[in-house]
Amino acid sequence: MSETASPQPRVLIVAFQGWSDAGDATTEVLQHLGGLIDAEVLHVISSEGYVDFQVHRPKLIFDAEGNRVLEWPDTRLYGTVQRPGDAPAPPRPDEETLRRIDGSPVTDLFLLAGVEPARDWQNFADEIVELIDVWSIDTVIILGAMFSDAPHSRPIAVSVSTESAERRAETGAVRSSYEGPTGIATVVDLALAQAGISAISLWAQVPHYVHSTPSPKATLALLDKLEELLDIVIPRGELLMQANEWEANINRIAAADEEMSRYIRGLEESRDDAMAAEATGDALALEFEKFLEGGSRGIEQTEAIEPDLTGEPDLPGEPDLTGEPDLTGEARDRGDEGDDADPEQR
């Protein structure tokens, strides 16, 4: 990988809309960060040959001159443009922007946003590897979000994994031991590892019984972990208020459904028991007991389910046309894949 003269590491954060974006958590992270750094498009990976346009259709829009143009579902690299002679202005004290701990602005952050391709994944991953080399990226963080049997009323669990032993020592991440079907995020991760580029994967667990609305609480959890890993300060804007409203809305709907309330209480008890066992050093015994019972699910490793990409609910009941979370009294069928260490399993 090319060397960079920048005094700070150049960081790329990657997220793909679709399979690995439960509750829109990862794409909302990129949108939030993009607004904080005034991101501009630096490069485009064309969707032609990669994306199924019957799944991700191009959009017809009007440009700045009033002309009708097509907006294709391309993969775009965003960043802050440093023009010759322009020094970054110091942020105002009241300005919401990314800052380092010393108060200096974050200028070497890049964002890669797109949809999960339908074909030619290896070539697509190779283009990303080349792009990282061209832009002298030092650190790559791949975001993912999965539906799981996590209670909405507890903190969103975020797992951290990497193929790099050095990065595991630095960050406390683990190496995934998962085997089974996977998505584009893992394909890109392994392509980067083969090219000698260390990447870190973050996966957030989103309650599966709230699958038809965005999850600002999961977005916040990913931002919290990014802040910790990158040692920067990320303003949250209105996300905290939105997360509180999201949780309160679910509480209100669940309160009117005793069956759903019982189900959520069961999830809460399981999560609390696992947290207590971990705190007392009994986590290993608890996991072994679950394994003997045929479960083998840990606090940050749960069986996930494929997000609904059709716009229709895949739980029993009528479609939700009110904009409220789609809650039912029955748990989803979560039998797609087991989860040993890699959360990307839907």
Side-chain angles (χ1 to χ4, degrees):
M1 185 169 62
S2 303
E3 295 184 356
T4 174
S6 171
Q8 298 291 344
R10 296 163 71 87
V11 178
L12 174 66
I13 301 176
V14 181
F16 298 102
Q17 179 185 351
W19 209 41
S20 59
D21 189 28
D24 297 340
T26 68
T27 49
E28 287 294 328
V29 166
L30 292 197
Q31 290 181 13
H32 184 76
L33 294 176
L36 293 173
I37 65 174
D38 294 327
E40 301 181 38
V41 177
L42 305 178
H43 182 86
V44 175
I45 298 177
S46 174
S47 54
E48 190 69 37
Y50 293 128
V51 175
D52 183 347
F53 296 135
Q54 290 184 323
V55 176
H56 300 284
R57 294 182 180 274
K59 297 179 181 178
L60 184 63
I61 62 173
F62 287 94
D63 63 14
E65 289 74 33
N67 300 315
R68 300 171 76 216
V69 296
L70 289 173
E71 183 179 73
W72 297 92
D74 300 325
T75 298
R76 295 176 174 87
L77 176 70
Y78 297 87
T80 303
V81 176
Q82 301 291 327
R83 295 179 173 83
D86 289 347
R92 301 188 307 273
D94 60 341
E95 183 181 4
E96 284 204 337
T97 186
L98 295 186
R99 307 170 191 258
R100 303 194 184 278
I101 301 302
D102 61 6
S104 61
V106 175
T107 57
D108 288 324
L109 182 68
F110 300 84
L111 310 172
L112 187 69
V115 302
E116 182 173 65
R119 56 185 69 89
D120 290 340
W121 282 14
Q122 290 184 330
N123 288 335
F124 181 79
D126 289 342
E127 286 205 46
I128 293 178
V129 171
E130 182 179 356
L131 192 62
I132 289 169
D133 182 70
V134 168
W135 286 89
S136 300
I137 302 296
D138 300 301
T139 298
V140 179
I141 300 177
I142 302 173
L143 303 182
M146 63 176 181
F147 289 110
S148 74
D149 53 355
H152 72 280
S153 53
R154 298 296 186 264
I156 297 291
V158 178
S159 64
V160 186
S161 64
T162 178
E163 289 293 300
S164 168
E166 180 180 356
R167 301 311 300 272
R168 293 198 294 272
E170 292 173 355
T171 64
V174 300
R175 186 187 184 198
S176 170
S177 59
Y178 168 76
E179 293 181 296
T182 189
I184 189 61
T186 298
V187 174
V188 171
D189 185 10
L190 294 180
L192 292 173
Q194 292 173 2
I197 305 169
S198 63
I200 297 175
S201 295
L202 306 182
W203 281 82
Q205 294 184 13
V206 179
H208 69 80
Y209 52 88
V210 195
H211 68 286
S212 62
T213 60
S215 177
K217 191 171 181 178
T219 297
L220 277 176
L222 288 169
L223 288 173
D224 290 345
K225 189 60 68 173
L226 285 173
E227 196 174 60
E228 176 186 332
L229 287 173
L230 300 178
D231 204 21
I232 60 177
V233 178
I234 305 175
R236 303 303 197 268
E238 297 183 354
L239 278 172
L240 182 58
M241 179 187 67
Q242 293 171 1
N244 289 335
E245 291 178 351
W246 175 84
E247 186 168 335
N249 194 32
I250 299 170
N251 288 338
R252 177 178 58 83
I253 297 172
D257 187 332
E258 180 57 32
E259 187 176 359
M260 175 54 80
S261 295
R262 286 198 302 270
Y263 178 69
I264 293 175
R265 284 196 298 270
L267 295 180
E268 291 171 342
E269 291 171 1
S270 296
R271 174 58 60 88
D272 293 344
D273 288 346
M275 290 293 291
E278 185 175 82
T280 59
D282 294 334
L284 184 59
L286 179 63
E287 286 303 305
F288 184 69
E289 180 181 349
K290 289 181 179 179
F291 174 78
L292 293 178
E293 294 173 352
S296 186
R297 279 196 312 240
I299 221 175
E300 292 186 1
Q301 292 115 8
T302 62
E303 293 182 355
I305 44 184
E306 185 173 351
D308 179 10
L309 305 183
T310 66
E312 299 178 354
D314 56 354
L315 294 180
E318 294 296 323
D320 176 20
L321 304 179
T322 65
E324 297 179 337
D326 182 11
L327 303 179
T328 72
E330 297 182 26
R332 280 191 171 187
D333 175 15
R334 297 182 300 279
D336 291 350
E337 300 172 34
D339 178 16
D340 191 1
D342 186 351
E344 184 178 352
Q345 8 93 24
R346 272 161 307 187

